[in-house]
Amino acid sequence: MREPFYITTALPYVNADPHLGHALEFVHADIIARYKRKVGHEVFFNIGTDEHGQKVYQKATEDGKDVKKYVDEYATRFKELGNILNLSYDNFIRTTDEHHISSAQEFWRRCDKNGDIYKKNYKIKYCVGCELEKSDSELENGYCPIHPKTPIEIREEENYFFRFSNYGDKLTSLYRDNPDFVLPPSRLNEITAFTKRGLSDFSISRLKEKMPWGVEVPGDPKHIMYVWFDALVNYISALGWPENETNFKKWWPGTQMAGKDNLRQQSAMWVAMLLSAGLSTPKQIIIHGFITSGGTKMSKSLGNVASPAQIVSEYGTDALRYYLAREITPFEDGDFTMERFKEVYNANLANGLGNLVSRIMKLAVTVGIKGNSKKSNYPNSEFLEKFEINKAMDKIWGRIQALDVHIQKTEPWKKIKTDETTAKEDVQFLVDELTRIGFELEPFLPETSQKIQKTIEENKMPEPLFLRKR
């Protein structure tokens, strides 16, 4: 057994329904988790929901709902998404969980004990969409480029602050000494440049009388924790920290996945917070891009938002997993339209993989060839070790296409009538190759993989794996 492997996604805010961006991160993390299990690691895979902060409070208020009931409703939707996507997660954490709240408060105490928390009056420009302070250089025409329709708020009040400025040199050294700490390298370069420009202390509390929804600051009931300070602690509270030291040491440090809009929070703020609390930094941070639609950011107002649940209801779970794994690059923005999705589905799943399985199994049933039901060791993937999920899929599909070409060239159906011995040898080769393909598809398309392996073992014609869509 290899060393334990811990992977966690970022926690999505519960101020809107799950979208394709959430599905992308969940599926990519699930593929890595499944792969790591296959090659011998014990795995802990964490997902969950971020349920505090002003965005959540405002949305619940706008909808006229009790905040707790509101977050309960949305947490259920995200948990359902995990099931819809067939995720193999080991833990679903909510930042409203009692243990997480006590864990976040203990984390605060440790940073405070280390001298990194203080109180002061301040005035800032604040993006509610990002839940972050913004400098003038980060704004475009007075708006946050990530949330261009959300007005920047000017805030002036007394808050607690974290001494982020104390950790510039330590972070810079960490990035320099660990060139794979943040992937892709362009994001490591980006956060390194940000850190070298000089770090400003950031606010980590809000006045409860203005925004009551959050984790109470230890020793000061007039303040609640800033949402990012609270939420990031989930990565270790999920492991039972601080009470369960044995479990924590078994799994931490872990691998974190997050979107590019989380780069600063995940790879600088959180890392500095861990250093302040006297804890190990993450093993690795994987940053992915956004999903666009026709080159435009998805938004409800443009009517180009696609629902993961609706896609799965029509095409099946593995069809969506396939698109997110192969058609969306793991590190940059990727595009999704229903037209492109349908085109890829028909070409690569219905006509590609599905047709190949039918052709080979028809031959296998005809000549009585059975596959080997013994499972070999799952092959190490150089691409998955580097989180290059689309390249790993390309390699498998290259094998699928090569096998299709081989069948066209050798024409085994003709040999069945003229040379049964040679025909059986040819079909055995095809079945063995298909067995290998089915096995290697397990982390990516688990349902499809199981169907392929079962139909080979039972030597029968399968139901169509993917029905062609008109």
Side-chain angles (χ1 to χ4, degrees):
M1 181 66 73
R2 302 185 182 185
E3 65 177 12
F5 179 79
Y6 173 38
I7 186 166
T8 178
T9 64
L11 302 190
Y13 277 123
V14 291
N15 65 323
D17 284 326
H19 55 63
L20 275 182
H22 301 129
L24 172 70
E25 189 171 309
F26 284 171
V27 168
H28 280 198
D30 183 63
I31 289 169
I32 297 300
R34 288 176 181 271
Y35 164 70
K36 289 290 186 178
R37 292 189 192 101
K38 289 293 179 187
V39 295
H41 294 270
E42 188 179 357
V43 171
F44 189 82
F45 174 23
N46 179 59
I47 64 172
T49 44
D50 182 355
E51 301 179 18
H52 292 130
Q54 186 169 344
K55 283 198 296 188
V56 173
Y57 182 71
Q58 284 183 345
K59 191 65 171 63
T61 303
E62 288 170 9
D63 291 356
K65 294 182 179 179
D66 173 79
V67 189
K68 185 60 169 68
K69 289 181 179 178
Y70 173 87
V71 298
D72 287 347
E73 176 186 328
Y74 274 87
T76 300
R77 295 183 192 182
F78 278 94
K79 200 164 189 177
E80 287 173 353
L81 178 64
N83 298 329
I84 288 168
L85 298 173
N86 193 15
L87 302 185
S88 61
Y89 65 89
D90 300 287
N91 187 62
F92 188 97
I93 190 169
R94 299 178 57 186
T95 56
T96 52
D97 292 341
E98 286 302 318
H99 176 263
H100 170 77
I101 291 170
S102 64
S103 182
Q105 289 173 327
E106 175 58 22
F107 193 93
W108 177 291
R109 292 187 193 99
R110 296 196 184 191
C111 294
D112 188 26
K113 187 178 179 181
N114 199 32
D116 286 328
I117 293 178
Y118 64 97
K119 189 188 281 188
K120 75 168 186 178
N121 287 307
Y122 82 119
K123 183 178 181 180
I124 59 160
K125 294 178 179 179
Y126 189 81
C127 173
V128 175
C130 292
E131 298 274 14
L132 278 178
E133 300 165 18
K134 297 289 180 177
S135 64
D136 289 336
S137 63
E138 294 176 295
L139 302 178
E140 295 178 4
N141 300 317
Y143 285 84
C144 168
I146 299 174
H147 301 94
K149 294 184 178 181
T150 303
I152 291 293
E153 294 187 3
I154 305 298
R155 295 191 168 182
E156 187 171 8
E157 63 184 42
E158 184 181 58
N159 284 176
Y160 286 95
F161 275 72
F162 177 77
R163 295 188 193 276
F164 199 27
S165 56
N166 279 357
Y167 292 91
D169 291 342
K170 290 181 180 178
L171 290 175
T172 302
S173 297
L174 176 68
Y175 304 148
R176 182 192 64 230
D177 298 340
N178 299 274
D180 292 329
F181 181 67
V182 177
L183 290 179
S186 60
R187 299 299 175 196
L188 179 66
N189 293 338
E190 185 180 336
I191 198 62
T192 299
F194 167 80
T195 304
K196 285 184 175 179
R197 287 195 295 269
L199 301 178
S200 299
D201 298 348
F202 60 86
S203 168
I204 56 171
S205 78
R206 299 290 179 262
L207 284 172
K208 196 170 186 178
E209 64 182 29
K210 292 185 178 180
M211 217 290 288
W213 182 244
V215 178
E216 192 173 282
V217 168
D220 191 343
K222 292 183 179 180
H223 286 259
I224 60 162
M225 290 186 195
Y226 163 57
V227 63
W228 278 106
F229 195 95
D230 144 35
L232 289 165
V233 178
N234 96 87
Y235 299 146
I236 59 175
S237 69
L239 305 175
W241 185 89
E243 299 90 353
N244 195 337
E245 189 72 12
T246 301
N247 198 58
F248 174 67
K249 287 184 176 179
K250 175 181 178 179
W251 297 109
W252 190 259
T255 298
Q256 298 167 200
M257 275 197 175
K260 65 181 184 180
D261 54 337
N262 274 206
L263 176 65
R264 186 196 310 182
Q265 298 94 311
Q266 301 284 335
S267 58
M269 293 164 61
W270 170 232
V271 177
M273 288 161 55
L274 284 164
L275 292 171
S276 175
L279 299 173
S280 300
T281 59
K283 182 182 294 182
Q284 206 167 24
I285 299 168
I286 314 303
I287 302 294
H288 61 80
F290 294 149
I291 293 184
T292 58
S293 182
T296 304
K297 186 177 179 181
M298 285 189 171
S299 73
K300 289 182 180 179
S301 60
L302 294 174
N304 61 357
V305 174
S307 162
Q310 289 178 0
I311 294 169
V312 168
S313 68
E314 183 177 355
Y315 289 85
T317 298
D318 279 358
L320 180 56
R321 287 178 66 106
Y322 170 83
Y323 193 95
L324 296 174
R326 192 173 181 213
E327 297 296 318
I328 306 294
T329 63
F331 302 129
E332 302 301 332
D333 290 354
D335 205 68
F336 178 96
T337 62
M338 283 308 302
E339 293 77 14
R340 174 62 180 160
F341 179 84
K342 183 177 178 181
E343 176 188 331
V344 165
Y345 171 89
N346 282 329
N348 297 339
L349 294 177
N351 294 347
L353 177 61
N355 187 49
L356 179 70
V357 173
S358 294
R359 294 178 75 186
I360 292 176
M361 289 315 299
K362 184 177 181 180
L363 291 167
V365 170
T366 301
V367 299
I369 294 293
K370 285 194 175 185
N372 185 353
S373 61
K374 273 190 171 182
K375 298 289 178 68
S376 57
N377 291 329
Y378 197 87
N380 273 295
S381 167
E382 59 176 316
F383 296 122
L384 291 181
E385 291 293 338
K386 295 186 290 185
F387 302 91
E388 295 174 336
I389 293 167
N390 59 330
K391 291 183 180 179
M393 285 287 271
D394 285 345
K395 188 174 181 179
I396 295 174
W397 246 259
R399 193 172 295 126
I400 290 169
Q401 291 159 356
L403 203 53
D404 220 8
V405 170
H406 178 82
I407 293 172
Q408 292 299 111
K409 285 184 177 179
T410 57
E411 299 181 325
W413 59 89
K414 291 183 177 179
K415 295 178 185 176
I416 291 173
K417 300 176 181 178
T418 59
D419 186 348
E420 188 176 349
T421 301
T422 303
K424 282 190 173 183
E425 291 174 355
D426 286 355
V427 175
Q428 185 68 64
F429 168 77
L430 295 175
V431 171
D432 289 345
E433 282 296 294
L434 184 61
T435 302
R436 180 184 173 193
I437 288 168
F439 184 48
E440 292 189 15
L441 281 172
E442 280 190 34
F444 309 92
L445 313 180
E447 291 179 10
T448 302
S449 171
Q450 288 176 7
K451 289 178 182 178
I452 292 173
Q453 293 179 63
K454 184 177 180 181
T455 195
I456 291 172
E457 289 168 13
E458 296 179 355
N459 186 233
K460 66 177 185 180
M461 283 296 296
E463 294 293 322
L465 293 178
F466 300 96
L467 293 171
R468 182 173 173 80
K469 300 291 184 179
R470 294 178 180 272

